[in-house]
Amino acid sequence: MGSDILDRFPKSEVVNIEFTPNIKETRHLEGLTDAFCESRQVNTRKLDFDANIDYPSYRTRTGWNVNMRKDSEIILLRLNVTTKESCASPVHHVDTTFVNRPSNSSTNLQLDPRPRLDQAHPTFAIHQKIVEAAESTKQLLNHGAERAAFRLTQLAFQLADEQSPCKRLNDVRITMTNTKAKGETSYGQELKIFSTVKLTRSQYERSQPGMLGSHLHAERHRAYVALGSNIGNRLGFVESACQEMNDRGTSVIRTSALYETKPMYLEDQQCFVNGACEIETSLGPTELLDQLKDIENKLGREKTVENGPRTIDLDILLYDKETIEVERLSIPHKKMLEREFVLRPLCDLIPNLTLPTPDSFISFQDQLDMLPQSPDPLSSLTPLSAHLPLIASQRSDRPTHLMAILNLTPDSFSDGGLHQTNDPEFLLPNLKSYLSHTLPVTILDIGGQSTRPRAPQISAEEELTRILPTIKLIRSNPSFQKLAISVDTYRASVAAAAVEAGADVVNDVSAGQLDPEMLPTIARLGCTCVLMHMRGTPETMSTLTEYPDGIINGVASELLARVHEAEKAGIRRWRIMLDPGIGFAKTQAQNLELLRRFAELRDFEGLQGFPWVVGASRKGFIGKITGVEQASERKWGTAATVVAAVQGGADVVRVHDVEEMGQVAAMADAIWRV
């Protein structure tokens, strides 16, 4: 509903939808006093991305009168449960079988069944189970209300993660109030606050399996850390440093793009890969510095000369709004405003902020714009595989990558059944020829589920049966070492199995919308992904072609929202590629406009620097314009779309006719990539 409202009123900044369901009356639950839901969605076309705003967020609150035990005494309490989620809970029936948790469980709370809320909504069911645990667990209050509330918040996360492993729950707040105030026993008197505990996702994950600790009340700080490496596997060291921070309780919230930069000060060394990350930590500034230095040491940094080569370099740029000047640490970092390799990544994160000093009025973006123009402009970098050069999507002379389509399906729109085989060895001669063409194939996109309009949906098991033998065969053959494998799927389980078998890239036509577990899965896998623009499903997308703000603004703003969701799920910015979704929820005129104005799409605010994949090969609109009904005969029309894509700035063209389109892309590169 929120998305529909924003589509109808594109100038709106925020839409809040509040409603009060009647579950109290319809379910006749003893003790339930009230229920409330709120959905908040932000128009990303109007507001800059803020890590503190959820895109979207869903808040659910219920109030209960509960009887809790302390020793032999029963105490009547008012219990308010509030949960906040990053995505809508799937409304489906969940398992309501209850078992006593083993004694070694971190929560060890017992649940008793009563009339269920599962059919009403999964989140309400979690609230109900929390109340059941509060009433049925003996001696829960014996160690104090705060500890009891903390254990119940832990249980909420545990129950939510059992419902769905996509970790949709962001935070939980539980308030206990004594319904007996000033000796009164009736309800409605002024409530005496008994205990309030709020637990965030990161606090919950760090609290396992412990009970209430000092970290619950420790203040969380926002800081920005510069990342750099110029020895060995530079990308690998940067990603390892981010993982080390997460493992030590310093949460990496977002990352910038990565940029290759020439060394400053000491120039006789290899180029650096530089970036920045936004973190949340309970550590003080010097404690954080100690942690970062320990990570540097673990990753093999040996400081032999000032500004010399290093496996990893981690510098604190900003810490809250503090200014710090001690022997070991200066915040803000003293030289950050003179270094493009620091300012440019920082502007990916907080372009409109200023230094936290009284005399600072110029934003970081303005500071960056005032630096002298470099003869070698920086370009963001994106990895395809360990054996291929990084994509430098902002270099004017970069080569176009050729992505060959390999549909292992019986029903794809143009080549269904052509490559389907029980013996993938049959495919090897043709695949080997891809490597010797004028413009060799660098990416092979393998799919086992057709996404053409009204294509029947197969099971994940069947999809894996189609693609895994081919992926494993290619990965076992040394001839294909420099060929990146992309898996074309919208299912998280298929993506995980394919990457485990050797795939390098996950290409999701829905950008994570058709499987809520896809984005967290990609983050866990640490691989590169392609987020394509699509609305609805393959069955419904052809009816969803209204773009009130125009096709460029519509596609760009919706893709930007998917980028934000990917970042929230933990996917690094340098691991994201984009696809405008030619032919998906687009009319013929809209497809043509996307190709004609593709450079504008690439330059849309918030999308600059991402690599783009364009796949118009043999699409239906080409047949309508050229009069060629047979999809496999649409080479000339496809060639025109390839040239348009290269001219507009595409980094990858996805094609069926590899040899011919390779020649077209090579010629287009010679004209445009200089």
Side-chain angles (χ1 to χ4, degrees):
M1 185 185 298
S3 298
D4 291 341
I5 292 173
L6 288 175
D7 284 341
R8 291 186 61 189
F9 302 96
K11 294 184 179 180
S12 300
E13 293 186 348
V14 178
V15 58
N16 281 322
I17 301 174
E18 300 179 4
F19 59 98
T20 304
N22 63 347
I23 59 174
K24 177 184 175 183
E25 289 74 18
T26 59
R27 301 286 164 164
H28 306 293
L29 286 171
E30 180 182 354
L32 178 64
T33 61
D34 59 84
F36 170 84
C37 296
E38 179 187 49
S39 169
R40 172 182 171 86
Q41 289 189 265
V42 174
N43 188 343
T44 54
R45 291 169 291 189
K46 295 293 180 184
L47 297 180
D48 289 337
F49 175 63
D50 183 343
N52 296 312
I53 298 177
D54 291 313
Y55 297 90
S57 66
Y58 304 87
R59 186 164 61 96
T60 306
R61 186 185 70 236
T62 54
W64 308 75
N65 291 324
V66 300
N67 292 304
M68 297 181 66
R69 293 172 173 82
K70 183 177 182 181
D71 297 323
S72 58
E73 182 182 3
I74 296 179
I75 301 177
L76 181 61
L77 295 176
R78 165 78 174 185
L79 190 69
N80 286 324
V81 182
T82 305
T83 52
K84 190 174 180 182
E85 302 165 80
S86 58
C87 61
S89 308
V91 180
H92 65 293
H93 185 72
V94 297
D95 185 11
T96 58
T97 304
F98 297 97
V99 294
N100 288 340
R101 300 187 182 276
S103 59
N104 62 353
S105 169
S106 62
T107 50
N108 195 25
L109 299 173
Q110 300 169 347
L111 306 176
D112 294 328
R114 63 172 72 179
R116 308 298 328 144
L117 288 181
D118 305 82
Q119 295 283 11
H121 200 276
T123 300
F124 284 125
I126 292 174
H127 288 216
Q128 182 182 6
K129 293 173 187 179
I130 291 170
V131 172
E132 293 167 1
E135 291 188 329
S136 62
T137 303
K138 297 179 180 179
Q139 301 179 341
L140 181 60
L141 289 174
N142 281 12
H143 297 288
E146 185 177 54
R147 184 163 179 171
F150 178 70
R151 296 178 70 190
L152 293 173
T153 58
Q154 284 184 310
L155 178 64
F157 280 104
Q158 190 170 353
L159 292 169
D161 290 352
E162 288 174 0
Q163 275 189 358
S164 172
C166 71
K167 296 186 177 182
R168 70 175 192 273
L169 201 62
N170 286 346
D171 58 59
V172 180
R173 181 190 296 271
I174 290 184
T175 300
M176 294 181 183
T177 55
N178 192 339
T179 60
K180 296 181 180 181
K182 301 178 181 179
E184 299 291 334
T185 58
S186 60
Y187 297 107
Q189 304 294 325
E190 180 183 355
L191 296 180
K192 177 183 177 183
I193 298 298
F194 197 26
S195 177
T196 296
V197 170
K198 177 181 176 182
L199 193 66
T200 65
R201 163 67 64 179
S202 60
Q203 289 170 336
Y204 163 70
E205 292 179 346
R206 292 198 311 277
S207 72
Q208 300 300 298
M211 288 300 178
L212 183 61
S214 60
H215 67 268
L216 180 63
H217 300 291
E219 185 180 359
R220 300 292 286 176
H221 304 278
R222 190 61 56 97
Y224 295 85
V225 175
L227 311 165
S229 174
N230 76 330
I231 295 178
N233 183 358
R234 300 172 300 173
L235 173 68
F237 282 123
V238 169
E239 293 188 320
S240 295
C242 291
Q243 187 59 51
E244 281 288 333
M245 283 188 269
N246 276 333
D247 292 345
R248 300 179 189 215
T250 294
S251 303
V252 177
I253 306 300
R254 291 188 293 156
T255 60
S256 70
L258 288 180
Y259 298 88
E260 186 169 59
T261 63
K262 291 183 178 180
M264 290 183 68
Y265 313 119
L266 184 63
E267 298 182 1
D268 187 19
Q269 56 180 316
Q270 294 182 4
C271 290
F272 280 81
V273 164
N274 288 107
C277 63
E278 180 179 3
I279 64 170
E280 187 180 78
T281 181
S282 60
L283 300 177
T286 55
E287 293 174 306
L288 177 60
L289 176 65
D290 290 338
Q291 184 184 84
L292 298 180
K293 294 306 176 186
D294 189 58
I295 292 173
E296 288 181 344
N297 292 334
K298 181 176 179 180
L299 296 179
R301 177 173 180 180
E302 296 180 0
K303 190 170 183 179
T304 57
V305 62
E306 188 70 20
N307 300 313
R310 65 213 74 172
T311 55
I312 190 68
D313 189 16
L314 305 173
D315 288 323
I316 304 173
L317 302 175
L318 301 167
Y319 183 94
D320 288 339
K321 296 183 179 180
E322 296 189 19
T323 56
I324 300 169
E325 188 64 47
V326 295
E327 183 178 356
R328 300 175 56 220
L329 183 62
S330 294
I331 297 177
H333 195 283
K334 284 185 175 181
K335 298 182 179 180
M336 59 183 289
L337 296 184
E338 69 183 53
R339 298 173 171 178
E340 184 182 5
F341 64 82
V342 174
L343 274 179
R344 191 165 295 280
L346 197 60
C347 286
D348 287 342
L349 301 171
I350 47 173
N352 299 320
L353 294 190
T354 63
L355 286 177
T357 55
D359 58 343
S360 295
F361 303 100
I362 302 177
S363 71
F364 292 128
Q365 184 62 57
D366 289 336
Q367 294 278 5
L368 177 62
D369 293 341
M370 289 189 296
L371 289 179
Q373 187 73 29
S374 171
D376 298 306
L378 299 188
S379 172
S380 57
L381 303 173
T382 303
L384 286 173
S385 78
H387 302 286
L388 287 172
L390 302 175
I391 294 178
S393 61
Q394 290 166 300
R395 285 185 61 96
S396 62
D397 60 347
R398 69 193 183 280
T400 300
H401 286 268
L402 208 60
M403 175 186 278
I405 300 169
L406 182 62
N407 287 322
L408 302 177
T409 58
D411 55 349
S412 291
F413 80 95
S414 92
D415 57 355
L418 182 63
H419 304 297
Q420 191 180 28
T421 175
N422 293 325
D423 181 13
E425 291 276 358
F426 165 77
L427 302 171
L428 288 184
N430 192 42
L431 295 180
K432 286 183 179 179
S433 72
Y434 289 178
L435 307 180
S436 59
H437 292 157
T438 304
L439 185 64
V441 169
T442 49
I443 313 167
L444 184 65
D445 195 39
I446 300 177
Q449 165 67 65
S450 175
T451 53
R452 65 175 173 81
R454 295 174 293 281
Q457 302 303 295
I458 61 174
S459 67
E461 291 74 17
E462 174 63 22
E463 188 176 355
L464 286 170
T465 299
R466 292 177 179 180
I467 66 173
L468 283 186
T470 300
I471 293 175
K472 291 177 179 178
L473 179 64
I474 293 172
R475 272 294 157 259
S476 67
N477 192 316
S479 302
F480 299 106
Q481 185 182 57
K482 293 187 177 182
L483 181 69
I485 296 177
S486 168
V487 56
D488 182 2
T489 185
Y490 57 79
R491 293 187 172 103
S493 60
V494 174
V499 171
E500 183 179 351
D504 305 286
V505 178
V506 175
N507 183 9
D508 182 0
V509 296
S510 77
Q513 296 182 94
L514 294 181
D515 186 341
E517 296 175 26
M518 177 61 96
L519 297 180
T521 296
I522 293 172
R524 176 178 57 81
L525 294 171
C527 62
T528 297
C529 63
V530 180
L531 305 180
M532 194 192 82
H533 177 268
M534 183 178 77
R535 289 175 168 180
T537 67
E539 291 83 1
T540 64
M541 62 184 181
S542 60
T543 66
L544 304 173
T545 58
E546 293 293 327
Y547 295 87
D549 271 2
I551 188 64
I552 299 298
N553 287 337
V555 169
S557 60
E558 290 172 27
L559 268 179
L560 185 58
R562 300 315 303 160
V563 169
H564 292 159
E565 287 298 313
E567 290 182 312
K568 283 172 56 180
I571 300 175
R572 308 304 181 209
R573 188 178 181 90
W574 57 75
R575 287 286 184 179
I576 297 174
M577 303 174 69
L578 301 177
D579 184 330
I582 301 292
F584 288 77
K586 319 286 192 306
T587 64
Q588 174 177 304
Q590 290 165 347
N591 289 324
L592 295 173
E593 185 174 354
L594 279 172
L595 290 168
R596 186 184 310 119
R597 301 174 60 193
F598 184 57
E600 295 177 48
L601 181 63
R602 289 182 68 245
D603 200 42
F604 190 88
E605 186 174 355
L607 298 182
Q608 300 98 326
F610 286 105
W612 286 80
V613 179
V614 175
S617 181
R618 300 182 180 178
K619 292 285 174 74
F621 77 98
I622 296 175
K624 291 180 181 178
I625 293 172
T626 61
V628 180
E629 295 185 7
Q630 185 67 33
S632 60
E633 298 300 319
R634 297 171 184 164
K635 295 178 184 178
W636 291 108
T638 296
T641 67
V642 169
V643 172
V646 173
Q647 179 184 2
D651 301 275
V652 180
V653 289
R654 184 177 182 270
V655 298
H656 296 86
D657 304 294
V658 170
E659 183 174 7
E660 295 88 341
M661 296 310 116
Q663 294 177 18
V664 171
M667 193 65 207
D669 278 359
I671 298 171
W672 301 108
R673 297 294 164 86
V674 294

